[in-house]
Amino acid sequence: PGRVEGYTNPYQTTAEAAQAQGTSCDKGNNSASTLPASLLPAGEVLGVRAQEREQPITFLPTTKKVRDRTVIRLPSYEQVKADPVLYAHASRVLHLETNPGNARALVQAHGQGHTARDVWINPPPIPLSTAEMDWVFDLPYARSPHPSYADEKGRHDGKTKIPAWEMIRTSVNIMRGCFGGCTFCSITEHEGRIIQSRSSTSIIREIEEIRDKVQGFTGTISDLGGPTANMYRLGCKSPAIEAACRKPSCVYPGICQNLNTDHTALIQLYRRARSLPGIKKILIGSGLRYDLAVKSPTYVQELVQHHVGGYLKIAPEHTEAAPLSKMMKPGIGSYDAFKKMFDKFSAQAGKEQFLIPYFIAAHPGTSDEDMLSL
């Protein structure tokens, strides 16, 4: 039957994946992941010679040609449902197959007997270009609630409050995606890990449309943001490295050296937007990634002095190292550094402003002592 290919290690590193792709994001030596023979079932060890017993199993990265025609079979739904370890393993594989540059399709068996079927999950799509993003957002949207909320004459009386509509009525989405990789969050699964940004011209055009068309507009834009407030036009410095990368996060355990963290484009967008006639105030309502923000003090100053309406949402999620490591969130030191800058620039502007921190209670890996400390 020919050579039997070894299973691809789902935990292989960025360097190994780059080697498999024929590229390199690390000039050092790439080493394959290994499993000590001591972890093998006893029956598989006893039948080999002593010197062979000491040899580890080597997981061989697939070649680029094979990878393009490879799918990963996850443990079946029934296995995942019954076994927490297999559930965690399937989740890990899913999170590692989120880069459009190297992700493979996933297959999972559901049911048994005559009801058995496979669920096929396509790899993530190639991210939209800026021109494609502009095309999507420039479509002629009605900018009003669904007609089912109107009276018999098709009018909205304004008395019926629709919470979802009130939240987005004067907000502008400037980008999609998130490379944060927080373990509790599903944004990567439905928006992608690579940032897709609109052009500033398209964003300005939408602000003008809101100003001119939205009934009851008072001059305040409630948000210029997206999944994260400050990832606009941020991304990997190298397309080749980005296509080969297998890391679930660009900012954990620290900010990747290949990540561009320049906030200049966002600062220019803020300044251009707030200078428009008829626009009194532009607020930032999306959550802020503060570990990125502190890399650009000019951005923090711009944000704090011009785009905070007294309160700014921020999500440290916890204060203790153990749960933060399970969440893949930065340590509380990043929060403290941002708060110091926030207070400093608020005082310079003569404003009394406050941070609203969000926290997660009882996240897996959290102890009672962690919660007491929080």
Side-chain angles (χ1 to χ4, degrees):
R3 180 185 176 193
V4 178
E5 298 286 345
Y7 285 106
T8 302
N9 176 12
Y11 301 93
Q12 79 180 34
T13 66
T14 296
E16 290 154 12
Q19 187 180 47
Q21 290 268 349
T23 61
S24 175
C25 59
D26 181 6
K27 295 182 180 178
N29 292 326
N30 293 332
S31 59
S33 299
T34 57
L35 182 68
S38 59
L39 296 182
L40 285 170
E44 292 183 36
V45 175
L46 296 176
V48 297
R49 295 190 301 272
Q51 62 267 33
E52 291 177 343
R53 228 180 12 236
E54 295 171 1
Q55 298 301 315
I57 289 178
T58 300
F59 290 97
L60 300 175
T62 54
T63 65
K64 187 173 183 180
K65 189 169 81 170
V66 174
R67 190 181 191 86
D68 290 344
R69 293 177 175 271
T70 298
V71 300
I72 298 180
R73 180 167 288 281
L74 298 172
S76 72
Y77 167 73
E78 286 73 22
Q79 289 176 301
V80 167
K81 183 179 178 182
D83 189 334
V85 174
L86 289 179
Y87 174 88
H89 172 72
S91 176
R92 171 71 172 174
V93 173
L94 178 74
H95 281 90
L96 286 178
E97 299 299 323
T98 54
N99 184 344
N102 59 57
R104 291 156 289 187
L106 306 177
V107 179
Q108 185 181 49
H110 283 240
Q112 297 172 344
H114 70 281
T115 63
R117 67 189 68 190
D118 277 340
V119 173
W120 177 284
I121 306 173
N122 284 324
I126 299 299
L128 296 179
S129 66
T130 295
E132 290 169 329
M133 284 284 286
D134 288 354
W135 183 86
V136 170
F137 280 91
D138 288 347
L139 291 170
Y141 298 103
R143 296 206 167 277
S144 63
H146 191 273
S148 63
Y149 291 98
D151 61 20
E152 64 277 2
K153 295 183 180 179
R155 297 174 303 192
H156 295 279
D157 57 14
K159 297 177 182 177
T160 304
K161 294 294 182 183
I162 308 167
W165 164 243
E166 292 300 320
M167 183 176 69
I168 65 165
R169 189 167 67 95
T170 62
S171 72
V172 178
N173 199 334
I174 65 175
M175 44 76 72
R176 284 176 59 83
C178 181
F179 49 70
C182 302
T183 56
F184 51 82
C185 182
S186 63
I187 288 174
T188 299
E189 277 67 51
H190 59 80
E191 292 205 13
R193 58 171 287 177
I194 296 176
I195 303 302
Q196 302 150 77
S197 301
R198 297 169 64 184
S199 69
S200 59
T201 299
S202 172
I203 295 167
I204 294 299
R205 186 160 52 240
E206 182 173 355
I207 295 173
E208 291 173 333
E209 283 219 345
I210 291 174
R211 177 195 65 192
D212 300 337
K213 294 182 179 180
V214 172
Q215 188 175 2
F217 179 66
T218 61
T220 299
I221 297 294
S222 60
D223 188 23
L224 279 186
T228 302
N230 60 317
M231 287 187 182
Y232 181 71
R233 295 203 175 281
L234 301 191
C236 193
K237 296 174 181 176
S238 165
I241 292 175
E242 183 176 70
C245 185
R246 300 279 293 167
K247 291 175 65 177
S249 171
C250 299
V251 290
Y252 184 86
I255 296 175
C256 178
Q257 62 181 3
N258 297 310
L259 181 67
N260 166 35
T261 59
D262 184 5
H263 285 60
T264 301
L266 189 55
I267 294 170
Q268 292 173 345
L269 175 63
Y270 286 178
R271 290 173 179 173
R272 186 177 171 189
R274 69 173 185 262
S275 68
L276 290 173
I279 301 300
K280 300 175 183 176
K281 186 78 174 177
I282 292 183
L283 302 174
I284 303 304
S286 297
L288 189 78
R289 188 81 197 198
Y290 52 85
D291 53 342
L292 289 171
V294 295
K295 296 293 183 182
S296 176
T298 303
Y299 170 74
V300 178
Q301 182 176 12
E302 194 79 13
L303 171 73
V304 171
Q305 296 187 349
H306 298 284
H307 300 283
V308 175
Y311 300 92
L312 179 68
K313 290 190 295 185
I314 195 168
E317 308 298 4
H318 217 285
T319 58
E320 304 309 295
L324 285 172
S325 69
K326 304 300 182 294
M327 300 174 185
M328 287 175 58
K329 292 286 286 185
I332 198 64
S334 296
Y335 171 82
D336 293 334
F338 177 79
K339 187 179 187 308
K340 189 176 295 184
M341 295 173 71
F342 180 89
D343 293 341
K344 171 187 170 183
F345 292 130
S346 293
Q348 285 182 5
K351 296 181 177 181
E352 188 177 19
Q353 301 184 135
F354 305 93
L355 294 175
I356 302 179
Y358 284 66
F359 296 107
I360 294 179
H363 186 280
T366 306
S367 68
D368 289 348
E369 289 75 16
D370 292 329
M371 289 307 301
L372 285 169
S373 298
L374 170 62

